[in-house]
Amino acid sequence: MIRPQDLLCPKPEGLYCAPGDFYIDPVRPVARAVITHGHSDHARAGHGAVLATQATLDIMAERYGLGFAAAQQVAAYGEAVDRDAVAVTLVPAGHVLGSAQVVVRWKGLTMVVSGDYKRRRDPTCAAFEPVPCDVFISEATFALPVFRHPADAGEIARLLRSVAQFPERAHLVGAYALGKAQRIIRLLREAGWARPIYAHGALERLNALYERHGIDLGPLEPATSATKRDFAGEIIIAPPSALQDRWSRRFPDPVSAFASGWMQVRARARQRGVELPLIISDHADWDELTGTVEELRPGELWITHGREEALARWAELHGVPARALALVGYEEEDDD
Amino acid sequence: MRAFAELLDRLSLTASRNAKLRLVRDYLRETPDPDRGWALAALTGDLSFSAAKPAFIRKAVEARMDPQLFWWSYDYVGDLAETVALVWPRRPGANREPELSEVVEALRTATRPEVQRLIEGWLDAMDEPRERWALLKLVTGGLRVGMTARLAKRAAAEMAETTRVEPAEIEELWHALHAPYEDLFAWLEGRSEKPSSDNPGRFRPVMLAQAIDEAVDFAKLDPAGYAAEWKWDGIRVQLVHEGGVRRLYTRTGDDISRTFPDLVDALFEEGVIDGELLVLRAGPTGNQVASFADLQQRLNRKAVDAKLMARYPAGLRAYDILAEGRDDTRTLSFAERRKRLEAFVARQASPRIDLSPLQPFASWPELAGLRADPPPGDPQVAEGIMLKRWDSPYEAGRPKGPWFKWKRDPFLIDAVLMYAQRGHGKRSSFYSDYTFGTWTEGEDGQRVLTPVGKAYFGFTDEELKAIDKYVRDNTVERFGPVRSVRAEPNHGLVFEVAFEGLQRSGRHRSGVAMRFPRISRIRWDKPPGEADELVTLERMLAQMEGR
């Protein structure tokens, strides 16, 4: 009798696949790793061999230098790669450019590690593909019924309305450097914002990388290129930590906006001094998390980083056996 | 409802007054009647419901979802209305989203059981948490979005595009208007005449004084042209008895009649009196002013009983008359009004009302001497001196020239910076709110600092930058937006703190609370060990109480 825990089990380094001898998103250096996506808490430097999508490998090389791992192997979406007796397939997760779910097949057992994912459309990455499976291992970053992300177009419209309403002020949008920033820029372009968008220096290389992968971000300028007065009426994108940093003082009376799923909770916005919270997340919200479980109807649901207990409770109430894996080392990434 | 929800959402996170004005002004310009009128009434506090109690809302949501999941959600968010707004399950196609006016009109007429069904139906119909949050705020009473009635009225004045409307005009009109204010908006948009303000018992916008600039102004002012009065440390109010209506208003036009029944009935003649609300107790030579702390016992109360009124008797110290009988006296000169006021107050013969005396003086230096060393009695606890030009009419707002306030010099102490907190809005990248302390003896006999107050203004932008840098370079610990700063006898930052007075306080560890503390100087040169002791404050307090 084959048990799921014989195929994948949690270890201090991360989720381990014994029959294939590899870890998924290990938080410490290991011999063989499969990486779901390029966020730094999932993709770390110093592994022996790394299997990931081309975009994820590119992102890691951009962040850590070309020698981030001893060996790299590209897996195209949907293409099975053998790791000893185990077939590994990367499938789009819809989280950021290059993000993947890891589908692991062994002796007739299919397990899917969602990595970080979302279900709604994102113009900067491939859409999540549901894969029927015996065990679905889900993230749970926003696994509380309070997290119900509104339509992103509406949030972008709120931003543009504020820009029109306060033309003498700069709008400073805090957005995670990988994925969120580029998505915000694309959404602004889709909403018709054709002016140059000013980007904090920390975003430049990732913006360029997205453009190399065919995502047109339109005219971008470094946020240092204009004098204070010229930023009036402009939109500047910066990593969240820069919002309250001394860096932000160069802008005229900035409206501080922050694009994150955490902005759903007012106390969080208030605590950070955010004047215009934009609820835009690269993670599945409560309805997407539960909807995905409902759609896949896996034999078992395993839950990793985030609010495991609430999603487990929901799964039990809906007849899906669930267990929390309590993996450590993943941050509430938007919340830096 | 969507636009109103968006407005509340933005107001609740916007610190800047000008930005709030812009948000409300734009909303009023873009929203049709009657929605905008109901919104304005909600913002000014003239419309408030208590249609739903927290228990009902909680029960309604628990009927729709797993109580355990609700509990975890509530525990995470911490605010009931917000949690419910977020977790309320969508019912696609349930109903059409209601307009604000539909909600208001239904709430005004529905019976209690009907109201509960209505609220549930609206929540089902609403698509976004923001709207559900706004609805819940509206039905549970009290928007609490950091908006004052006065600011909302000013925003209404600013929505006029073709004519210039002074906020005072709206304030004077206000009590003659009724939500949803269609006549007001018609006037503001230039579609009709100004509505009539002839409404007995209405509030008249008050005249305010400018702070005097000692270095510049005295050289230009003739002492013979001005009357001087003491500036009392109470609350500026307007007592109205007109057309049978009796009212007591704050200087912003809030009706506080119900809180001060002992004062509202004090005028037997009709008239409108401008003066200071104080706790006044009978002394050997007429009324005697009690401390501001005593007055605080009477403020912000919904209900008052005879015991409280006996213990803290409210009184009015009158300094101007705006109407006498049916005469509007505001166009008369101050000298003229003063004569009428003196006679009017004398005729009322009420122990609850007395006259704010004029302080005779011949020259500015003489007055300066009196200000520094006031004569015995109530002037000892005055906040300073008011100067009023004898020939000035009563003008709403803060006109330049006719009235000046000349505050007493503040009290000063040297205190040590202990904690710094990030500011808001423009200052969110700065540590701009400072908690400072003075030395006292700790449990083990060591000298330790104990916090005595908090200040967030009094410094220039340049100084703010320098203090911010100091805080960042000398942080000991961080707690969220707060940093504790190194504060040792030989290492730390000393502020000269100015304040207007001291009160005993059970809420502060030091036992004293400062009134209007601000940073008057930054003592980069002074070692913290030489800053003041808590005993110094205690001595000052004893002196103020003992006068």
Side-chain angles (χ1 to χ4, degrees), chain A residues 145-146 148 155 158 161-162 165-166 168 244 246 249 253 262 264-266 268 277 287 310 313, chain B residues 6 9-10 12 22 26 30 66 73 76 82 86-88 90 130 422 426 429-430 468 472:
Chain A
V146 298
R148 320 266 293 278
E155 297 298 286
R158 294 176 65 234
R161 176 172 159 73
S162 183
Q165 211 168 2
F166 296 97
E168 76 287 8
Q244 290 181 328
R246 279 172 270 195
R249 291 179 199 164
D253 186 13
W262 300 113
Q264 188 96 72
V265 177
R266 315 181 67 76
R268 287 248 189 174
D287 294 328
R313 165 91 185 168
Chain B
E6 178 67 19
D9 185 73
R10 292 231 41 191
S12 74
R22 178 106 41 104
D26 289 356
E30 291 160 15
D66 176 43
S73 299
Y76 178 79
E82 188 181 346
L86 291 169
V87 301
W88 195 271
R90 284 196 183 98
R130 243 175 243 123
R422 274 187 204 283
K426 267 187 198 181
S429 75
F430 291 95
D468 177 76
R472 288 170 193 268

Side-chain angles (χ1 to χ4, degrees), chain A residues 254-294:
Chain A
V255 174
S256 118
F258 185 17
S260 162
W262 300 113
M263 290 297 102
Q264 188 96 72
V265 177
R266 315 181 67 76
R268 287 248 189 174
R270 208 167 284 135
Q271 200 177 37
R272 300 187 63 123
V274 171
E275 192 171 336
L276 182 64
L278 301 173
I279 309 164
I280 299 180
S281 175
D282 283 328
H283 291 271
D285 69 1
W286 176 253
D287 294 328
E288 292 168 61
L289 290 167
T290 56
T292 302
V293 176
E294 208 139 33

Side-chain angles (χ1 to χ4, degrees), chain B residues 509-525:
Chain B
R509 208 185 336 155
S510 60
V512 293
M514 291 180 177
R515 298 190 53 207
F516 304 123
R518 69 262 182 195
I519 311 293
S520 71
R521 265 201 304 167
I522 306 163
R523 299 295 308 268
W524 298 105
D525 55 311

Side-chain angles (χ1 to χ4, degrees), chain A residues 300-312:
Chain A
E300 271 182 49
L301 174 69
W302 293 4
I303 305 161
T304 65
H305 55 290
R307 268 151 246 286
E308 295 94 341
E309 56 181 11
L311 189 55

